[in-house]
Amino acid sequence: MARLVENPDLAFRLARAIVSDIALYNQDKVAEGIKEDSIFELMEEELAEGREHFYSRVSPDMTNRDHLFEKAIVDVMIKQAGKIESNIW
């Protein structure tokens, strides 16, 4: 079994990579979710699967573990979708 990530910087990079893959393979859903202001509902299953993968690789003792994954969602999926027309912005 692989060692769990215990470094917050490495954990954040892992979270960003996971969210980046989710966004890449679901570009149409991301665009629709941003346009309709339903990104979290529309991507619920994919984000839950990504979060589960992240948790399986990162030490449960790490403080702010939840925050790191949520920040990655905003940094990678939401901010990069800023060019999409939406009532959100």
Side-chain angles (χ1 to χ4, degrees):
M1 183 172 173
R3 285 184 61 190
L4 295 176
V5 174
E6 295 181 358
N7 179 305
D9 293 330
L10 293 177
F12 185 56
R13 286 194 345 207
L14 174 62
R16 288 178 56 89
I18 292 168
V19 173
S20 180
D21 282 351
I22 293 168
L24 178 65
Y25 291 109
N26 296 281
Q27 292 177 23
D28 292 340
K29 283 178 85 170
V30 170
E32 179 184 343
I34 294 294
K35 286 178 188 173
E36 302 297 323
D37 191 12
S38 62
I39 186 74
F40 294 104
E41 294 83 11
L42 199 59
M43 298 293 296
E44 182 176 7
E45 186 176 314
E46 292 85 353
L47 291 173
E49 185 178 322
R51 186 176 286 107
E52 185 177 315
H53 178 64
F54 176 73
Y55 288 166
S56 76
R57 303 274 314 274
V58 175
S59 172
D61 298 330
M62 181 180 295
T63 56
N64 294 326
R65 183 173 79 152
D66 295 334
H67 175 74
L68 293 174
F69 192 80
E70 300 301 324
K71 183 173 175 2
I73 292 170
V74 172
D75 284 358
V76 175
M77 191 177 298
I78 307 300
K79 284 184 182 176
Q80 290 183 6
K83 60 189 172 293
I84 298 171
E85 286 279 329
S86 176
N87 290 331
I88 298 172
W89 5 92

Coordinates of all heavy atoms in Angstrom, one line a residue:
M1 N 0.8 -1.2 0.0 CA 0.0 0.0 0.0 C 0.9 1.2 0.0 O 1.9 1.3 0.7 CB -0.9 0.0 1.2 CG -1.9 1.1 1.3 SD -3.0 0.8 2.7 CE -3.8 2.4 2.7
A2 N 0.5 2.2 -0.8 CA 1.3 3.5 -0.9 C 1.2 4.3 0.4 O 0.1 4.2 1.1 CB 0.8 4.3 -2.1
R3 N 2.2 5.0 0.7 CA 2.2 5.9 1.9 C 1.2 7.0 1.6 O 1.0 7.5 0.5 CB 3.5 6.5 2.1 CG 4.5 5.5 2.7 CD 5.8 6.2 3.0 NE 5.6 7.3 4.0 CZ 6.6 8.1 4.3 NH1 7.8 8.1 3.7 NH2 6.3 9.1 5.2
L4 N 0.5 7.5 2.7 CA -0.4 8.6 2.6 C 0.3 9.9 2.6 O 1.4 10.1 3.2 CB -1.4 8.6 3.7 CG -2.3 7.4 3.8 CD1 -3.2 7.4 5.1 CD2 -3.2 7.3 2.6
V5 N -0.2 10.8 1.8 CA 0.4 12.2 1.7 C 0.2 12.9 3.1 O -0.9 12.9 3.5 CB -0.2 13.0 0.6 CG1 0.3 14.4 0.6 CG2 0.1 12.3 -0.8
E6 N 1.3 13.4 3.6 CA 1.1 14.1 4.9 C 1.5 15.6 4.8 O 1.3 16.4 5.7 CB 2.0 13.4 5.9 CG 1.5 12.0 6.2 CD 2.3 11.3 7.3 OE1 3.3 11.9 7.8 OE2 1.9 10.2 7.7
N7 N 2.1 16.0 3.6 CA 2.5 17.4 3.4 C 1.3 18.1 2.7 O 0.8 17.7 1.7 CB 3.7 17.4 2.4 CG 4.2 18.7 2.1 OD1 3.4 19.6 1.6 ND2 5.5 18.9 2.3
P8 N 0.9 19.2 3.4 CA -0.3 20.0 2.8 C -0.1 20.5 1.4 O -1.0 20.5 0.6 CB -0.4 21.1 3.8 CG 0.2 20.7 5.1 CD 1.3 19.8 4.6
D9 N 1.2 20.9 1.1 CA 1.4 21.4 -0.3 C 1.3 20.3 -1.3 O 0.7 20.5 -2.4 CB 2.8 22.0 -0.4 CG 3.0 23.3 0.4 OD1 2.0 24.0 0.6 OD2 4.1 23.5 0.9
L10 N 1.8 19.1 -1.0 CA 1.6 18.0 -1.9 C 0.2 17.5 -2.0 O -0.3 17.2 -3.1 CB 2.5 16.8 -1.4 CG 4.0 17.0 -1.5 CD1 4.7 15.8 -1.0 CD2 4.4 17.3 -3.0
A11 N -0.5 17.6 -0.9 CA -2.0 17.2 -0.9 C -2.8 18.2 -1.7 O -3.6 17.8 -2.5 CB -2.5 17.2 0.6
F12 N -2.4 19.5 -1.7 CA -3.1 20.5 -2.5 C -2.8 20.2 -4.0 O -3.7 20.3 -4.8 CB -2.8 21.9 -2.1 CG -3.5 22.9 -2.8 CD1 -4.9 22.9 -2.8 CD2 -2.9 23.9 -3.5 CE1 -5.7 23.9 -3.4 CE2 -3.6 24.9 -4.1 CZ -5.0 24.9 -4.1
R13 N -1.6 19.9 -4.3 CA -1.3 19.6 -5.7 C -2.1 18.4 -6.2 O -2.5 18.3 -7.3 CB 0.2 19.4 -5.8 CG 1.0 20.7 -5.8 CD 2.4 20.7 -6.2 NE 3.0 19.4 -6.4 CZ 4.3 19.2 -6.3 NH1 5.1 20.2 -6.0 NH2 4.9 18.0 -6.5
L14 N -2.2 17.4 -5.3 CA -3.0 16.2 -5.6 C -4.4 16.6 -5.9 O -5.0 16.1 -6.8 CB -2.8 15.1 -4.5 CG -3.7 13.9 -4.7 CD1 -3.4 13.1 -6.0 CD2 -3.6 13.0 -3.5
A15 N -5.0 17.4 -5.0 CA -6.4 17.8 -5.1 C -6.6 18.5 -6.4 O -7.6 18.3 -7.1 CB -6.8 18.7 -3.9
R16 N -5.7 19.4 -6.8 CA -5.8 20.2 -8.0 C -5.7 19.2 -9.2 O -6.4 19.4 -10.2 CB -4.7 21.3 -8.1 CG -4.9 22.4 -7.2 CD -3.8 23.4 -7.2 NE -3.6 23.9 -8.6 CZ -4.2 25.0 -9.1 NH1 -5.1 25.7 -8.4 NH2 -3.9 25.4 -10.3
A17 N -4.9 18.3 -9.2 CA -4.7 17.3 -10.3 C -6.0 16.5 -10.4 O -6.5 16.3 -11.6 CB -3.6 16.4 -10.1
I18 N -6.6 16.1 -9.3 CA -7.9 15.3 -9.4 C -9.0 16.2 -10.0 O -9.7 15.7 -10.9 CB -8.2 14.8 -8.0 CG1 -7.2 13.7 -7.6 CG2 -9.6 14.2 -8.0 CD1 -7.3 13.3 -6.1
V19 N -9.1 17.4 -9.5 CA -10.2 18.3 -9.9 C -9.9 18.7 -11.4 O -10.9 18.8 -12.2 CB -10.3 19.5 -9.0 CG1 -11.3 20.5 -9.6 CG2 -10.7 19.1 -7.6
S20 N -8.7 18.8 -11.8 CA -8.4 19.2 -13.2 C -8.8 18.0 -14.1 O -9.4 18.3 -15.1 CB -6.9 19.4 -13.3 OG -6.5 19.7 -14.6
D21 N -8.6 16.8 -13.7 CA -9.1 15.6 -14.5 C -10.6 15.6 -14.6 O -11.2 15.4 -15.6 CB -8.6 14.3 -13.9 CG -7.1 14.0 -14.2 OD1 -6.5 14.8 -15.0 OD2 -6.6 13.1 -13.6
I22 N -11.3 15.9 -13.4 CA -12.7 15.9 -13.4 C -13.2 17.0 -14.4 O -14.1 16.7 -15.2 CB -13.3 16.2 -12.0 CG1 -13.0 15.0 -11.1 CG2 -14.8 16.5 -12.1 CD1 -13.2 15.3 -9.6
A23 N -12.6 18.2 -14.4 CA -13.1 19.2 -15.2 C -12.8 18.9 -16.7 O -13.6 19.2 -17.6 CB -12.4 20.5 -14.8
L24 N -11.6 18.3 -17.0 CA -11.2 18.0 -18.3 C -12.2 17.0 -19.0 O -12.6 17.2 -20.1 CB -9.8 17.5 -18.3 CG -9.3 17.0 -19.7 CD1 -9.1 18.2 -20.6 CD2 -7.9 16.3 -19.5
Y25 N -12.5 16.0 -18.2 CA -13.4 14.9 -18.8 C -14.9 15.2 -18.7 O -15.7 14.5 -19.2 CB -13.1 13.6 -18.1 CG -11.8 13.1 -18.4 CD1 -10.7 13.1 -17.5 CD2 -11.5 12.6 -19.7 CE1 -9.5 12.6 -17.8 CE2 -10.2 12.1 -20.0 CZ -9.2 12.1 -19.1 OH -8.0 11.6 -19.4
N26 N -15.2 16.4 -18.1 CA -16.6 16.8 -18.0 C -16.8 18.3 -18.4 O -17.6 19.0 -17.8 CB -17.1 16.6 -16.6 CG -17.1 15.1 -16.2 OD1 -18.0 14.4 -16.5 ND2 -16.1 14.7 -15.4
Q27 N -16.1 18.7 -19.5 CA -16.2 20.1 -19.9 C -17.6 20.6 -20.2 O -17.9 21.7 -19.8 CB -15.3 20.3 -21.1 CG -13.8 20.1 -20.8 CD -13.0 20.3 -22.1 OE1 -13.4 20.9 -23.0 NE2 -11.8 19.7 -22.0
D28 N -18.4 19.8 -20.8 CA -19.8 20.2 -21.1 C -20.6 20.4 -19.9 O -21.4 21.3 -19.7 CB -20.4 19.2 -22.1 CG -19.8 19.2 -23.5 OD1 -19.1 20.2 -23.8 OD2 -20.0 18.2 -24.2
K29 N -20.5 19.5 -18.9 CA -21.2 19.5 -17.7 C -20.8 20.7 -16.9 O -21.6 21.4 -16.2 CB -21.1 18.3 -16.9 CG -21.9 17.1 -17.4 CD -21.7 15.9 -16.5 CE -22.5 15.8 -15.3 NZ -22.5 14.5 -14.6
V30 N -19.5 21.0 -16.9 CA -19.0 22.2 -16.1 C -19.6 23.4 -16.7 O -20.1 24.3 -16.0 CB -17.4 22.2 -16.1 CG1 -16.9 23.6 -15.6 CG2 -16.8 21.1 -15.4
A31 N -19.5 23.6 -18.1 CA -20.1 24.7 -18.7 C -21.5 24.9 -18.4 O -22.0 26.0 -18.1 CB -19.8 24.7 -20.2
E32 N -22.3 23.8 -18.5 CA -23.7 23.9 -18.2 C -24.0 24.3 -16.8 O -24.9 25.1 -16.5 CB -24.4 22.5 -18.5 CG -25.9 22.5 -18.2 CD -26.5 21.1 -18.4 OE1 -25.9 20.2 -19.1 OE2 -27.6 20.9 -17.9
G33 N -23.2 23.7 -15.9 CA -23.4 24.0 -14.4 C -23.1 25.4 -14.1 O -23.7 26.0 -13.3
I34 N -22.1 26.0 -14.8 CA -21.8 27.4 -14.6 C -22.9 28.3 -15.1 O -23.4 29.2 -14.5 CB -20.4 27.8 -15.2 CG1 -19.2 27.1 -14.4 CG2 -20.2 29.3 -15.2 CD1 -19.0 27.5 -13.0
K35 N -23.3 28.0 -16.4 CA -24.3 28.8 -17.0 C -25.6 28.8 -16.2 O -26.3 29.8 -16.1 CB -24.6 28.2 -18.4 CG -23.6 28.6 -19.4 CD -23.9 28.0 -20.8 CE -22.8 28.1 -21.7 NZ -23.0 27.4 -23.0
E36 N -26.0 27.6 -15.6 CA -27.3 27.4 -15.0 C -27.1 27.6 -13.4 O -28.1 27.4 -12.7 CB -27.8 26.0 -15.3 CG -28.0 25.8 -16.7 CD -29.1 26.7 -17.4 OE1 -30.0 27.0 -16.7 OE2 -28.9 27.1 -18.5
D37 N -25.9 27.9 -12.9 CA -25.7 28.1 -11.5 C -26.1 26.8 -10.8 O -26.7 26.9 -9.7 CB -26.4 29.3 -10.9 CG -26.0 29.6 -9.5 OD1 -25.0 29.1 -9.1 OD2 -26.7 30.4 -8.9
S38 N -25.7 25.7 -11.3 CA -26.0 24.4 -10.7 C -24.8 23.5 -10.7 O -24.9 22.2 -10.7 CB -27.2 23.7 -11.4 OG -26.8 23.5 -12.8
I39 N -23.6 24.0 -10.7 CA -22.4 23.3 -10.9 C -22.2 22.2 -9.8 O -21.9 21.1 -10.2 CB -21.1 24.2 -10.9 CG1 -19.9 23.4 -11.3 CG2 -20.9 25.0 -9.6 CD1 -19.7 23.0 -12.7
F40 N -22.5 22.5 -8.6 CA -22.3 21.5 -7.5 C -23.4 20.4 -7.6 O -23.0 19.2 -7.3 CB -22.3 22.2 -6.2 CG -21.1 23.1 -6.0 CD1 -21.2 24.4 -6.1 CD2 -19.8 22.5 -5.9 CE1 -20.1 25.3 -6.0 CE2 -18.7 23.4 -5.8 CZ -18.8 24.7 -5.8
E41 N -24.6 20.7 -8.0 CA -25.6 19.7 -8.1 C -25.3 18.8 -9.3 O -25.4 17.6 -9.3 CB -27.0 20.3 -8.3 CG -27.5 21.0 -7.0 CD -27.0 22.5 -6.9 OE1 -26.4 23.0 -7.9 OE2 -27.1 23.1 -5.9
L42 N -24.9 19.4 -10.4 CA -24.7 18.7 -11.7 C -23.4 17.8 -11.6 O -23.4 16.7 -12.1 CB -24.5 19.7 -12.8 CG -24.7 19.2 -14.2 CD1 -26.1 18.6 -14.4 CD2 -24.5 20.4 -15.2
M43 N -22.4 18.3 -10.9 CA -21.2 17.6 -10.7 C -21.0 16.8 -9.4 O -20.0 16.3 -9.1 CB -20.0 18.5 -10.9 CG -19.9 19.3 -12.2 SD -19.6 18.2 -13.6 CE -17.9 17.6 -13.1
E44 N -22.1 16.6 -8.7 CA -22.1 16.0 -7.4 C -21.4 14.6 -7.4 O -20.6 14.4 -6.6 CB -23.5 15.9 -6.9 CG -23.6 15.3 -5.5 CD -25.0 15.3 -4.9 OE1 -26.0 15.6 -5.7 OE2 -25.1 14.9 -3.7
E45 N -21.8 13.8 -8.3 CA -21.3 12.4 -8.4 C -19.8 12.4 -8.7 O -19.0 11.7 -8.0 CB -22.0 11.6 -9.4 CG -21.6 10.2 -9.4 CD -22.5 9.4 -10.4 OE1 -23.7 9.6 -10.5 OE2 -21.9 8.6 -11.2
E46 N -19.4 13.2 -9.7 CA -17.9 13.3 -10.0 C -17.1 13.9 -8.9 O -16.0 13.4 -8.6 CB -17.8 14.1 -11.3 CG -18.4 13.5 -12.6 CD -19.8 13.7 -12.8 OE1 -20.5 14.3 -11.9 OE2 -20.3 13.4 -13.8
L47 N -17.6 14.9 -8.3 CA -16.8 15.5 -7.2 C -16.7 14.6 -6.0 O -15.7 14.6 -5.3 CB -17.4 16.9 -6.8 CG -17.3 18.0 -7.9 CD1 -18.1 19.2 -7.5 CD2 -15.8 18.3 -8.1
A48 N -17.8 13.9 -5.7 CA -17.8 12.9 -4.6 C -16.8 11.8 -4.9 O -16.0 11.4 -4.0 CB -19.2 12.3 -4.4
E49 N -16.7 11.3 -6.1 CA -15.7 10.3 -6.5 C -14.3 10.9 -6.4 O -13.4 10.2 -5.8 CB -16.0 9.8 -7.9 CG -15.1 8.7 -8.3 CD -15.5 8.2 -9.7 OE1 -16.7 8.2 -10.1 OE2 -14.5 7.9 -10.5
G50 N -14.1 12.1 -6.8 CA -12.8 12.7 -6.7 C -12.4 12.9 -5.3 O -11.2 12.7 -4.9
R51 N -13.3 13.4 -4.4 CA -13.0 13.6 -3.0 C -12.7 12.3 -2.4 O -11.7 12.2 -1.6 CB -14.3 14.2 -2.4 CG -14.0 14.6 -0.9 CD -15.2 15.4 -0.3 NE -15.3 16.7 -0.8 CZ -16.3 17.1 -1.7 NH1 -17.2 16.3 -2.1 NH2 -16.3 18.3 -2.1
E52 N -13.4 11.2 -2.7 CA -13.1 9.9 -2.1 C -11.7 9.5 -2.5 O -10.9 8.9 -1.7 CB -14.1 8.9 -2.6 CG -14.0 7.5 -2.0 CD -15.1 6.6 -2.5 OE1 -16.3 7.0 -2.5 OE2 -14.8 5.4 -2.8
H53 N -11.3 9.7 -3.8 CA -10.0 9.3 -4.2 C -8.9 10.2 -3.4 O -7.9 9.6 -3.0 CB -9.8 9.6 -5.7 CG -8.5 9.3 -6.2 ND1 -7.9 8.0 -6.2 CD2 -7.5 10.1 -6.8 CE1 -6.7 8.0 -6.7 NE2 -6.4 9.3 -7.1
F54 N -9.2 11.5 -3.3 CA -8.3 12.3 -2.6 C -8.1 11.8 -1.1 O -7.0 11.7 -0.6 CB -8.8 13.8 -2.6 CG -8.1 14.8 -1.8 CD1 -6.8 15.2 -2.2 CD2 -8.6 15.3 -0.6 CE1 -6.1 16.2 -1.5 CE2 -7.9 16.2 0.2 CZ -6.6 16.6 -0.3
Y55 N -9.2 11.5 -0.5 CA -9.1 11.1 0.9 C -8.4 9.7 1.0 O -7.7 9.5 2.1 CB -10.5 10.9 1.5 CG -11.3 12.2 1.8 CD1 -12.6 12.2 2.1 CD2 -10.6 13.4 1.9 CE1 -13.3 13.4 2.3 CE2 -11.3 14.6 2.1 CZ -12.6 14.5 2.4 OH -13.3 15.7 2.7
S56 N -8.5 8.9 0.0 CA -7.8 7.6 0.1 C -6.3 7.8 0.0 O -5.5 6.9 0.3 CB -8.3 6.7 -1.0 OG -7.7 7.1 -2.3
R57 N -5.8 9.0 -0.5 CA -4.4 9.2 -0.7 C -3.8 10.1 0.3 O -2.5 10.3 0.3 CB -4.2 9.8 -2.1 CG -4.7 8.9 -3.3 CD -3.7 7.9 -3.8 NE -2.4 8.4 -3.9 CZ -1.9 9.0 -5.0 NH1 -2.7 9.2 -6.1 NH2 -0.6 9.4 -5.1
V58 N -4.6 10.8 1.1 CA -4.1 11.8 2.0 C -4.4 11.4 3.4 O -5.5 10.9 3.7 CB -4.8 13.2 1.7 CG1 -4.4 14.3 2.7 CG2 -4.4 13.7 0.3
S59 N -3.4 11.7 4.3 CA -3.6 11.3 5.7 C -4.8 11.9 6.3 O -5.0 13.1 6.2 CB -2.3 11.7 6.5 OG -2.5 11.5 7.9
P60 N -5.6 11.1 7.0 CA -6.8 11.7 7.7 C -6.4 12.6 8.9 O -7.3 13.4 9.3 CB -7.6 10.4 8.2 CG -6.6 9.3 8.2 CD -5.5 9.7 7.2
D61 N -5.2 12.6 9.3 CA -4.7 13.4 10.4 C -4.4 14.8 9.9 O -4.1 15.7 10.8 CB -3.5 12.8 11.1 CG -3.8 11.4 11.7 OD1 -5.0 11.2 12.1 OD2 -2.9 10.6 11.8
M62 N -4.3 15.0 8.6 CA -4.0 16.4 8.1 C -5.1 17.4 8.4 O -6.2 17.2 8.1 CB -3.7 16.3 6.6 CG -3.3 17.7 6.0 SD -3.0 17.6 4.3 CE -1.7 16.5 4.2
T63 N -4.6 18.5 9.0 CA -5.6 19.5 9.3 C -6.0 20.2 8.0 O -5.1 20.3 7.1 CB -5.0 20.6 10.3 OG1 -3.8 21.1 9.7 CG2 -4.8 20.0 11.6
N64 N -7.2 20.7 7.9 CA -7.7 21.3 6.7 C -7.7 20.4 5.4 O -7.7 20.9 4.3 CB -6.9 22.6 6.4 CG -7.0 23.7 7.4 OD1 -8.1 23.8 8.0 ND2 -6.0 24.4 7.7
R65 N -7.8 19.2 5.6 CA -7.8 18.2 4.5 C -9.1 18.5 3.6 O -9.0 18.6 2.4 CB -7.8 16.8 5.0 CG -7.8 15.8 3.9 CD -7.7 14.4 4.4 NE -8.9 13.9 5.0 CZ -9.3 12.6 5.0 NH1 -8.4 11.7 4.6 NH2 -10.4 12.2 5.5
D66 N -10.2 18.7 4.2 CA -11.4 19.1 3.5 C -11.3 20.4 2.7 O -11.7 20.5 1.6 CB -12.6 19.2 4.4 CG -13.0 17.9 5.1 OD1 -12.7 16.8 4.5 OD2 -13.6 17.9 6.2
H67 N -10.7 21.3 3.4 CA -10.5 22.7 2.8 C -9.7 22.6 1.6 O -9.9 23.3 0.6 CB -9.9 23.6 3.9 CG -9.6 25.0 3.3 ND1 -10.6 25.9 3.0 CD2 -8.4 25.5 3.0 CE1 -10.0 27.0 2.6 NE2 -8.7 26.8 2.5
L68 N -8.6 21.8 1.6 CA -7.7 21.7 0.4 C -8.5 21.2 -0.8 O -8.3 21.8 -1.9 CB -6.6 20.7 0.7 CG -5.6 21.2 1.8 CD1 -4.6 20.1 2.1 CD2 -4.9 22.5 1.4
F69 N -9.3 20.2 -0.7 CA -10.1 19.8 -1.8 C -11.1 20.8 -2.3 O -11.2 21.1 -3.5 CB -10.8 18.4 -1.5 CG -11.3 17.8 -2.8 CD1 -10.4 17.0 -3.6 CD2 -12.6 17.9 -3.2 CE1 -10.9 16.4 -4.8 CE2 -13.1 17.3 -4.3 CZ -12.2 16.6 -5.1
E70 N -11.8 21.5 -1.4 CA -12.7 22.5 -1.8 C -12.0 23.7 -2.4 O -12.5 24.2 -3.4 CB -13.5 23.0 -0.5 CG -14.3 21.9 0.2 CD -15.3 21.2 -0.7 OE1 -15.9 21.9 -1.5 OE2 -15.5 20.0 -0.5
K71 N -10.9 24.1 -1.9 CA -10.1 25.1 -2.6 C -9.7 24.8 -4.0 O -9.7 25.6 -4.9 CB -8.9 25.5 -1.7 CG -8.1 26.7 -2.2 CD -7.0 27.0 -1.2 CE -6.0 28.1 -1.6 NZ -6.1 28.8 -2.9
A72 N -9.3 23.5 -4.2 CA -8.9 23.0 -5.5 C -10.1 23.1 -6.5 O -9.9 23.5 -7.6 CB -8.4 21.6 -5.4
I73 N -11.3 22.8 -6.0 CA -12.5 22.9 -6.8 C -12.7 24.4 -7.3 O -12.9 24.7 -8.5 CB -13.8 22.5 -6.1 CG1 -13.7 21.0 -5.9 CG2 -15.0 22.8 -6.9 CD1 -14.8 20.5 -4.9
V74 N -12.5 25.3 -6.4 CA -12.7 26.7 -6.7 C -11.6 27.2 -7.7 O -11.8 27.8 -8.7 CB -12.7 27.6 -5.5 CG1 -12.7 29.1 -5.8 CG2 -14.0 27.3 -4.7
D75 N -10.3 26.9 -7.3 CA -9.2 27.3 -8.1 C -9.1 26.7 -9.5 O -8.8 27.4 -10.5 CB -7.9 26.9 -7.4 CG -7.5 27.8 -6.2 OD1 -8.3 28.8 -6.0 OD2 -6.5 27.6 -5.6
V76 N -9.5 25.5 -9.6 CA -9.4 24.8 -10.9 C -10.6 24.8 -11.7 O -10.6 25.2 -12.9 CB -8.9 23.3 -10.7 CG1 -8.9 22.5 -12.0 CG2 -7.5 23.3 -10.0
M77 N -11.7 24.5 -11.1 CA -13.0 24.3 -11.9 C -13.7 25.6 -12.0 O -14.2 26.0 -13.1 CB -13.9 23.2 -11.3 CG -15.0 22.8 -12.2 SD -16.0 21.5 -11.4 CE -14.9 20.2 -11.3
I78 N -13.9 26.3 -10.9 CA -14.7 27.5 -11.0 C -14.0 28.7 -11.6 O -14.5 29.4 -12.5 CB -15.2 27.9 -9.5 CG1 -15.9 26.7 -8.9 CG2 -16.1 29.1 -9.6 CD1 -17.1 26.2 -9.6
K79 N -12.8 29.0 -11.1 CA -12.1 30.2 -11.7 C -11.8 30.1 -13.1 O -11.9 31.0 -13.9 CB -10.8 30.4 -10.9 CG -11.0 31.0 -9.5 CD -9.7 31.3 -8.9 CE -9.8 31.9 -7.5 NZ -8.6 32.1 -6.8
Q80 N -11.5 28.9 -13.6 CA -11.2 28.7 -15.0 C -12.4 28.8 -15.9 O -12.3 29.0 -17.1 CB -10.4 27.4 -15.2 CG -9.0 27.4 -14.6 CD -8.3 26.1 -14.9 OE1 -8.7 25.2 -15.6 NE2 -7.1 26.0 -14.3
A81 N -13.6 28.6 -15.3 CA -14.8 28.8 -16.0 C -15.3 30.2 -16.0 O -16.4 30.5 -16.5 CB -15.9 27.8 -15.4
G82 N -14.5 31.1 -15.5 CA -14.9 32.5 -15.4 C -15.3 33.2 -16.7 O -16.0 34.2 -16.8
K83 N -14.9 32.6 -17.8 CA -15.2 33.2 -19.2 C -16.5 32.8 -19.7 O -17.0 33.3 -20.7 CB -14.1 32.9 -20.2 CG -13.9 31.3 -20.4 CD -12.7 31.0 -21.2 CE -12.5 29.5 -21.3 NZ -12.1 28.9 -20.0
I84 N -17.2 31.8 -19.0 CA -18.5 31.4 -19.4 C -19.6 32.3 -18.9 O -19.6 32.7 -17.8 CB -18.7 29.9 -18.8 CG1 -17.7 28.9 -19.4 CG2 -20.1 29.5 -19.1 CD1 -17.7 27.6 -18.7
E85 N -20.5 32.7 -19.8 CA -21.6 33.6 -19.5 C -22.4 32.9 -18.4 O -22.8 31.8 -18.5 CB -22.5 33.8 -20.7 CG -21.9 34.7 -21.7 CD -22.1 36.2 -21.4 OE1 -23.0 36.5 -20.7 OE2 -21.2 36.9 -21.8
S86 N -22.7 33.7 -17.3 CA -23.4 33.2 -16.2 C -23.9 34.3 -15.3 O -23.3 35.4 -15.2 CB -22.6 32.3 -15.3 OG -23.3 31.8 -14.2
N87 N -25.1 34.1 -14.6 CA -25.6 35.0 -13.7 C -24.8 35.0 -12.4 O -25.0 35.9 -11.5 CB -27.0 34.8 -13.4 CG -27.9 35.1 -14.5 OD1 -27.6 36.0 -15.3 ND2 -29.0 34.4 -14.7
I88 N -23.9 34.0 -12.3 CA -23.1 33.9 -11.0 C -22.2 35.1 -10.9 O -22.0 35.6 -9.8 CB -22.2 32.6 -11.1 CG1 -23.1 31.3 -11.1 CG2 -21.3 32.5 -9.9 CD1 -22.3 30.1 -11.3
W89 N -21.6 35.6 -12.0 CA -20.7 36.7 -11.9 C -21.3 37.9 -12.4 O -21.9 38.3 -13.2 CB -19.4 36.5 -12.6 CG -19.1 35.3 -13.4 CD1 -19.4 35.1 -14.7 CD2 -18.6 34.0 -12.9 NE1 -19.0 33.8 -15.0 CE2 -18.6 33.1 -14.0 CE3 -18.2 33.6 -11.6 CZ2 -18.1 31.8 -13.8 CZ3 -17.8 32.3 -11.5 CH2 -17.7 31.4 -12.6

